[in-house]
Coordinates of all heavy atoms in Angstrom, one line a residue:
R10 N 3.3 10.6 -7.0 CA 4.2 11.0 -8.1 C 3.5 11.3 -9.4 O 3.8 12.2 -10.1 CB 5.3 9.9 -8.4 CG 6.3 9.7 -7.2 CD 7.1 8.4 -7.3 NE 7.9 8.4 -8.6 CZ 9.1 8.9 -8.7 NH1 9.7 9.4 -7.6 NH2 9.8 8.8 -9.8
C15 N 1.8 15.2 -13.3 CA 0.7 15.8 -14.1 C 0.6 17.4 -13.8 O 0.4 18.1 -14.7 CB -0.6 15.2 -13.7 SG -2.0 15.8 -14.6
V58 N 4.6 27.0 -13.1 CA 5.1 25.7 -12.7 C 5.4 24.8 -13.8 O 4.5 24.5 -14.7 CB 4.0 25.1 -11.7 CG1 4.4 23.6 -11.4 CG2 3.8 25.9 -10.5
T64 N 12.6 22.9 -10.5 CA 14.0 22.5 -10.2 C 14.8 23.7 -9.6 O 15.5 23.6 -8.6 CB 14.7 22.1 -11.5 OG1 14.0 20.9 -12.0 CG2 16.2 21.6 -11.2
D133 N -14.1 13.2 24.0 CA -14.2 14.5 23.4 C -13.1 14.7 22.3 O -13.4 15.2 21.2 CB -14.0 15.6 24.5 CG -15.3 15.7 25.4 OD1 -16.3 15.1 25.0 OD2 -15.2 16.3 26.5
L157 N -19.8 25.9 -11.9 CA -20.9 26.9 -11.4 C -22.2 26.6 -12.1 O -23.3 26.6 -11.5 CB -20.5 28.3 -11.7 CG -19.3 28.8 -10.8 CD1 -18.8 30.2 -11.4 CD2 -19.8 29.0 -9.4
V166 N -33.0 22.0 -9.8 CA -33.7 20.7 -9.9 C -34.1 20.3 -8.5 O -35.2 19.8 -8.3 CB -32.7 19.6 -10.5 CG1 -33.3 18.2 -10.3 CG2 -32.5 19.9 -12.0
D167 N -33.2 20.5 -7.5 CA -33.5 20.2 -6.1 C -34.7 21.0 -5.6 O -35.6 20.5 -4.9 CB -32.3 20.4 -5.2 CG -32.3 19.7 -3.9 OD1 -33.3 18.9 -3.7 OD2 -31.4 19.9 -3.1
A201 N -32.3 40.9 16.6 CA -31.9 41.8 17.6 C -33.1 42.5 18.2 O -34.1 42.8 17.5 CB -30.9 42.8 17.1
C219 N -38.0 24.3 12.0 CA -37.1 23.1 11.7 C -37.9 21.8 11.8 O -37.8 20.9 11.0 CB -35.9 23.1 12.6 SG -34.7 24.4 12.3
R241 N -41.0 26.0 28.3 CA -41.6 27.0 27.4 C -42.2 26.4 26.1 O -43.2 26.8 25.6 CB -40.6 28.1 27.1 CG -40.3 29.0 28.3 CD -39.4 30.2 27.9 NE -40.0 31.0 26.9 CZ -39.8 32.3 26.8 NH1 -39.1 32.9 27.7 NH2 -40.3 33.0 25.8
Y254 N -51.7 26.9 29.2 CA -51.0 26.7 30.4 C -49.6 27.3 30.2 O -48.9 27.0 29.3 CB -50.8 25.2 30.7 CG -52.2 24.6 31.0 CD1 -52.9 24.0 30.0 CD2 -52.8 24.6 32.3 CE1 -54.1 23.4 30.2 CE2 -54.0 24.0 32.5 CZ -54.7 23.4 31.5 OH -55.9 22.9 31.7
N270 N -57.1 14.6 39.6 CA -57.8 15.5 38.7 C -57.0 16.7 38.4 O -57.4 17.6 37.7 CB -59.2 15.9 39.2 CG -60.1 14.7 39.3 OD1 -60.2 13.9 38.4 ND2 -60.8 14.6 40.5
V280 N -49.3 16.8 27.1 CA -48.4 17.8 26.6 C -47.0 17.2 26.3 O -46.4 17.4 25.3 CB -48.2 19.0 27.6 CG1 -47.1 19.9 27.1 CG2 -49.6 19.8 27.7
P294 N -34.2 12.4 17.1 CA -34.6 13.7 17.7 C -34.3 14.9 16.8 O -33.3 14.9 16.0 CB -33.6 13.8 18.9 CG -32.5 12.8 18.6 CD -33.1 11.7 17.7
I316 N -22.9 17.2 16.5 CA -24.3 17.0 16.3 C -24.6 16.7 14.8 O -25.4 15.8 14.5 CB -25.1 18.1 16.8 CG1 -24.9 18.3 18.3 CG2 -26.6 17.9 16.5 CD1 -25.4 17.1 19.1
Y331 N -27.6 34.2 23.7 CA -27.4 35.1 22.6 C -25.9 35.5 22.5 O -25.2 35.1 23.5 CB -28.3 36.4 22.8 CG -28.1 37.2 24.0 CD1 -27.2 38.3 24.0 CD2 -28.7 36.9 25.3 CE1 -27.0 39.1 25.1 CE2 -28.4 37.7 26.4 CZ -27.6 38.8 26.3 OH -27.4 39.5 27.4
R348 N -14.8 42.2 20.2 CA -15.1 40.8 20.5 C -16.3 40.3 19.8 O -16.4 39.2 19.3 CB -15.2 40.6 22.0 CG -13.8 40.8 22.8 CD -13.9 40.3 24.2 NE -14.9 41.1 25.0 CZ -14.6 42.2 25.7 NH1 -13.3 42.6 25.6 NH2 -15.5 42.8 26.4
T353 N -19.2 37.2 15.4 CA -20.1 37.1 14.3 C -19.4 36.7 13.0 O -19.9 35.9 12.2 CB -20.8 38.5 14.1 OG1 -19.8 39.5 14.0 CG2 -21.7 38.8 15.2
A358 N -18.7 32.0 9.2 CA -17.8 31.0 8.7 C -18.4 29.6 8.9 O -18.3 28.7 8.1 CB -16.4 31.1 9.2
E376 N -30.2 52.8 24.1 CA -30.3 54.0 23.2 C -31.6 54.0 22.4 O -32.1 55.0 22.1 CB -29.1 54.0 22.2 CG -27.7 54.3 22.9 CD -27.7 55.7 23.6 OE1 -28.1 56.7 23.0 OE2 -27.3 55.7 24.7
D382 N -39.8 57.3 18.5 CA -40.2 56.0 17.8 C -39.2 54.9 18.3 O -38.0 55.0 18.0 CB -40.2 56.2 16.3 CG -40.7 55.0 15.6 OD1 -40.9 53.9 16.2 OD2 -40.9 55.0 14.4
E397 N -23.5 44.0 11.6 CA -24.3 44.4 10.3 C -23.5 43.9 9.1 O -24.2 43.5 8.1 CB -24.5 45.9 10.3 CG -25.2 46.4 9.1 CD -25.3 47.9 9.0 OE1 -25.0 48.6 10.0 OE2 -25.6 48.4 7.9
E423 N -48.5 46.9 8.2 CA -48.8 46.4 6.8 C -50.1 47.1 6.3 O -50.0 47.6 5.1 CB -49.0 44.9 6.8 CG -47.7 44.1 7.2 CD -47.9 42.6 7.2 OE1 -48.2 42.1 6.2 OE2 -47.8 42.1 8.4
S449 N -43.2 42.9 9.1 CA -44.4 42.0 9.1 C -44.9 41.9 10.5 O -44.2 42.0 11.5 CB -43.9 40.6 8.7 OG -43.0 40.0 9.6

Side-chain angles (χ1 to χ4, degrees):
R10 291 167 62 87
C15 179
V58 173
T64 303
D133 288 346
L157 288 169
V166 169
D167 202 3
C219 291
R241 288 186 60 148
Y254 298 93
N270 295 314
V280 173
I316 297 299
Y331 62 95
R348 291 195 295 272
T353 54
E376 292 299 313
D382 185 351
E397 182 186 345
E423 296 176 65
S449 67

